[in-house]
Amino acid sequence: MEDKIYGLLGRKLGHSWSAPIHRALGCQDYRLIELEPEELGDFLRREDIGGLNVTIPYKRDVMKFCDVIDPAAEAIGSVNTLVRRGGKLYGYNTDIDGFLYMLRRVKISLAGKKVVILGSGGASLTAQAAARQEGARAVVVLSHSDLDNCEFINHRDAEVLVNTTPVGMWPDLDGLSMNLRNLPSVADVVDVIYNPGRTSLLLQAEEMDGEPRYHRHFRWTGGLPMLVQQAKRAEELFFDSSIPGEEAEKLIAQLWRDRTNLVLIGMPGSGKTTVGRALARLSGKSLVDVDEEITRAAGKPIPEIFAQEGEEAFRMLENRILKEVCAQSGRVIAAGGGVVLHMENWKTMRRTGWVYRLERRLEDLATEGRPLSRPGNLAKMEQTRGPLYRAAADAAVQNDSSPEDAAAKIWRDFCENSGDKRP
């Protein structure tokens, strides 16, 4: 393995999680290989290539350099895995293995359904092939120009929506590839993006799920299971080996734990920072206190910001700092008590994190140095903010004992339950 090249081939790979996945699967020399289009040919002629994964924008471009293309990849029209054997370069498509695994994992069936696929690149070709293979009754591919021209209006009877575009992918997290209200019959939502874990599209599916006014329930998935399963299959092709099936689920769970933020919200004085410290020690993640980051950015303590600039200026700064903090992965984040007052912050926290609400009796809340925690004001604040905390959080934990006890409850819940709906 030492004298062969193994890695991911693409143009911009700063967002990729492929290297740790393949290393976990046994390929310790796996690396990221960024090339410009004019460099592609010379690189692929190298005799020391062992195995490569291929991503945007080269999944079709590499096909002309292959000596042999697997019939399934030929039928899809896209190659995402290259292996050199006996001097020949073989091309495969393991994305379809990952795509079908991702669907079956959350019990999404394409059989007999109308499927709308957003995007026309290599991942779209894979989704189209999967839909045909699974017996979809109709497959519609919509590009950005189609959406701009409101072509989706002609497909309001679609039942499955698949996003294969980069809209909503890190670092541009705010993008929404399709408003689900425009496709009133869709109940299954698939987004091949894996970073962030919950794109704006998936957050909208969560928000609408079970709401009486929308009259539908959703099944949904992000792209992490697809990423892991296609990597597992590629690894088997690299080394002509077999990897036990359960290894994919173990790796999904590990990546989920390692990469997902744990976000703590709750009333001022509910113990977010102290529980956050304990949770950081327990989980091995670093702690970021949003209020401390605000103080550092402003160059003054929060009471001074309120006194000199007012609450509105503080909230604007809080929103900006929260976005910067949540754009990173694998952290414990102690958010400010009023962070839920802006609904956009809910999405910011939930895209990359699992959000926990800390609950504590009003009489036990700390008030020192908190501008809004004046005597007699906490009950009114709780009445206003309580519903917002409940709506923004994925789960709640009582902080009525020690910080270590609350942290243990959060970590246990996260490890056991938080991956059920999310990949």
Side-chain angles (χ1 to χ4, degrees), residues 208-267:
M208 295 172 63
D209 183 48
E211 284 283 325
R213 55 184 164 164
Y214 300 122
H215 306 292
R216 50 180 160 162
H217 289 274
F218 288 89
R219 285 179 293 262
W220 65 88
T221 179
L224 182 57
M226 176 180 175
L227 178 71
V228 171
Q229 181 67 16
Q230 68 79 25
K232 172 181 170 294
R233 180 63 188 130
E235 196 79 10
E236 292 173 335
L237 291 169
F238 289 173
F239 301 108
D240 192 22
S241 62
S242 179
I243 299 173
E246 62 269 18
E247 291 303 310
E249 282 302 315
K250 290 179 183 177
L251 190 47
I252 290 168
Q254 177 187 325
L255 287 165
W256 179 249
R257 289 192 299 269
D258 292 347
R259 300 280 178 155
T260 303
N261 292 324
L262 291 168
V263 187
L264 306 182
I265 63 173
M267 287 284 286

Side-chain angles (χ1 to χ4, degrees), residues 176-196:
L176 180 63
S177 54
M178 167 64 78
N179 189 330
L180 292 173
R181 295 174 184 86
N182 293 329
L183 296 174
S185 297
V186 163
D188 297 325
V189 181
V190 179
D191 200 326
V192 301
I193 292 172
Y194 61 87
N195 185 12

Side-chain angles (χ1 to χ4, degrees), residues 48-224:
D48 56 351
I49 289 173
L52 299 169
N53 290 117
V54 183
T55 190
I56 298 172
Y58 298 136
K59 290 186 179 184
R60 283 182 279 190
D61 294 345
V62 300
M63 295 179 74
K64 62 187 175 188
F65 299 103
C66 293
D67 299 295
V68 180
I69 297 179
D70 181 73
E74 189 80 67
I76 293 169
S78 172
V79 162
N80 82 311
T81 300
L82 298 170
V83 182
R84 188 172 290 287
R85 298 194 197 97
K88 292 184 178 182
L89 194 63
Y90 289 75
Y92 301 90
N93 189 304
T94 67
D95 276 339
I96 193 164
D97 299 89
F99 188 86
L100 293 172
Y101 180 84
M102 172 178 63
L103 298 189
R104 289 165 186 160
R105 188 173 182 268
V106 292
K107 298 180 173 57
I108 290 178
S109 171
L110 306 182
K113 295 179 180 177
K114 182 172 182 177
V115 180
V116 165
I117 300 170
L118 305 181
S120 54
S124 173
L125 295 174
T126 298
Q128 293 172 49
R132 291 192 298 268
Q133 180 177 315
E134 294 297 291
R137 67 177 173 86
V139 180
V140 177
V141 179
L142 298 180
S143 66
H144 286 298
S145 60
D146 292 326
L147 298 179
D148 291 340
N149 295 328
C150 299
E151 175 65 20
F152 61 82
I153 291 175
N154 296 321
H155 306 290
R156 289 170 62 84
D157 58 337
E159 297 151 285
V160 181
L161 176 67
V162 181
N163 177 49
T164 68
T165 77
V167 176
M169 185 171 70
W170 187 92
D172 300 317
L173 304 180
D174 290 330
L176 180 63
S177 54
M178 167 64 78
N179 189 330
L180 292 173
R181 295 174 184 86
N182 293 329
L183 296 174
S185 297
V186 163
D188 297 325
V189 181
V190 179
D191 200 326
V192 301
I193 292 172
Y194 61 87
N195 185 12
R198 281 187 283 198
T199 59
S200 294
L201 179 66
L202 298 184
L203 285 176
Q204 189 180 45
E206 284 191 0
E207 174 192 334
M208 295 172 63
D209 183 48
E211 284 283 325
R213 55 184 164 164
Y214 300 122
H215 306 292
R216 50 180 160 162
H217 289 274
F218 288 89
R219 285 179 293 262
W220 65 88
T221 179
L224 182 57

Side-chain angles (χ1 to χ4, degrees), residues 23-52:
R23 288 168 190 158
L25 290 169
C27 187
Q28 299 303 316
D29 295 329
Y30 195 93
R31 63 186 197 243
L32 304 181
I33 303 165
E34 294 184 342
L35 296 179
E36 291 300 312
E38 61 272 16
E39 301 174 296
L40 201 58
D42 286 343
F43 180 81
L44 291 178
R45 294 185 187 97
R46 292 182 59 152
E47 291 297 322
D48 56 351
I49 289 173
L52 299 169

